[in-house]
């Protein structure tokens, strides 16, 4: 089978079309950038779910005019204008009504309290544990016994409140080499942390967690934070 490489990469594209695509891309990019500046946001980590949806809508409106001369720019500009006006109206009312703001932006979620994961249904806290542990490591956390409270904000940022050194307690390690020692088999007596909820217990043999009922454990550590 012979591939039509010219058709795959060019498909009849000439220099005039290339320049037009470049110009369209520049115009649409400047429009997207203008909207982001009007939104007042400084970075992606400051975007809520609602604002991410707005960005996706902008990308959809901007994408077609960039690539095809079948789509004029003015209709996309109209879409941008409607989105900007809608964004301003929604953010205005969100600032006036807390219930409406909660509906649009979502609510902060408590992930850790008292050095343990908050016990809620999985449908309430829909986050990937591996990503969350990576966030903790980025903040210099080696085990969750160092953390008094951790809150997942509506913009995806993690707010962490630490125990003072004299109140740090044994906790579930978040460092990969230590966390990967998890097992349901316990042969040596010691303090172990439940990998599901972070509860720590002194065990001498395999057992279910008294807090969540799971059976997977990892040796707990009580190392202080290095600041």
């Amino acid at each position: 089978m012979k591939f039509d490489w010219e058709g795959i990469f060019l498909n009849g594209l000439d220099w005039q079309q290339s320049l037009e695509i470049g110009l369209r891309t520049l115009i649409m990019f400047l429009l997207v950038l203008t909207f982001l500046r009007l939104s007042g946001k400084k970075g992606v980590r400051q975007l809520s779910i609602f604002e991410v949806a707005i960005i996706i809508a902008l990308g959809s409106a901007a994408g077609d005019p960039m690539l095809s001369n079948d789509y004029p720019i003015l209709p996309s500009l109209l879409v941008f204008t409607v989105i900007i006006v809608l964004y301003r109206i929604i953010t205005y009312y969100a600032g006036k009504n807390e219930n409406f703001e909660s509906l649009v932006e979502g609510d902060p979620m408590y992930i850790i309290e008292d050095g343990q994961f908050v016990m809620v249904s999985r449908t309430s806290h829909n986050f990937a544990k591996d990503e969350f542990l990576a966030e903790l490591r980025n903040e210099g956390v080696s085990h969750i016994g160092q953390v008094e409270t951790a809150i997942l904000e509506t913009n995806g940022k993690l707010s962490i409140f630490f125990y003072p050194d004299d109140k740090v307690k044994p906790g579930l390690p978040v460092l990969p080499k230590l966390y990967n020692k998890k097992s349901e088999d316990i042969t040596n007596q010691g303090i172990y942390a439940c990998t599901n909820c972070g509860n720590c217990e002194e065990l001498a043999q395999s057992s279910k967690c008294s807090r969540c009922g799971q059976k997977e454990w990892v040796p707990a550590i009580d190392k202080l934070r290095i600041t």
Side-chain angles (χ1 to χ4, degrees):
M1 179 178 178
K2 184 178 180 180
F3 286 100
D4 181 10
W5 295 109
E6 183 177 354
I8 292 174
F9 289 99
L10 296 176
N11 196 26
L13 182 69
D14 57 31
W15 286 108
Q16 183 177 354
Q17 289 176 307
S18 300
L19 291 174
E20 182 178 339
I21 290 174
L23 179 60
R24 286 170 172 269
T25 301
L26 176 62
I27 293 173
M28 299 311 297
F29 175 78
L30 291 176
L31 287 175
V32 173
L33 187 61
T34 299
F35 171 81
L36 291 177
R37 293 292 295 170
L38 290 175
S39 73
K41 299 297 178 177
K42 300 297 184 182
V44 174
R45 290 302 297 270
Q46 292 180 313
L47 299 179
S48 66
I49 294 177
F50 162 66
E51 289 161 337
V52 170
I54 293 292
I55 297 301
I56 293 174
L58 286 177
S60 178
D64 290 336
M66 286 182 181
L67 292 173
S68 175
N69 56 11
D70 293 332
Y71 296 92
I73 290 178
L74 284 181
S76 291
L77 183 58
L78 176 61
V79 172
F80 274 45
T81 303
V82 171
I83 290 176
I84 290 174
V85 172
L86 180 63
Y87 174 79
R88 288 296 187 182
I89 291 174
I90 290 177
T91 51
Y92 173 79
Y93 281 105
K96 297 290 185 179
N97 188 302
E98 290 186 1
N99 291 330
F100 183 69
E101 181 182 18
S102 177
L103 177 65
V104 173
E105 303 280 358
D107 296 311
M109 295 189 302
Y110 280 79
I111 307 298
I112 293 177
E113 284 187 302
D114 299 325
Q116 298 177 335
F117 289 120
V118 175
M119 294 290 292
V120 294
S121 65
R122 292 188 180 274
T123 56
S124 298
H125 279 193
N126 187 21
F127 65 94
K129 181 179 285 188
D130 289 343
E131 294 181 6
F132 177 65
L133 296 182
E135 290 284 348
L136 290 177
R137 292 193 292 269
N138 286 335
E139 296 296 330
V141 177
S142 58
H143 65 90
I144 66 174
Q146 300 169 339
V147 179
E148 182 177 8
T149 305
I151 302 172
L152 186 63
E153 307 292 355
T154 57
N155 60 4
K157 187 175 180 181
L158 193 64
S159 298
I160 302 177
F161 301 87
F162 297 99
Y163 280 118
D165 286 348
D166 60 342
K167 292 187 177 181
V168 170
K169 51 189 177 182
L172 174 71
V174 302
L175 302 178
K177 286 185 177 180
L178 297 178
Y179 182 81
N180 289 336
K181 293 180 180 180
K182 56 189 178 181
S183 175
E184 294 185 3
D185 298 323
I186 295 177
T187 56
N188 298 319
Q189 184 172 357
I191 299 177
Y192 291 83
C194 172
T195 59
N196 181 60
C197 70
N199 176 46
C200 290
E201 299 181 21
E202 185 168 358
L203 302 173
Q205 60 184 2
S206 300
S207 176
K208 290 184 177 180
C209 174
S210 62
R211 184 165 180 252
C212 70
Q214 299 297 316
K215 297 188 295 183
E216 188 177 69
W217 302 88
V218 65
I221 60 175
D222 58 0
K223 181 179 179 182
L224 301 180
R225 288 185 65 234
I226 300 177
T227 57

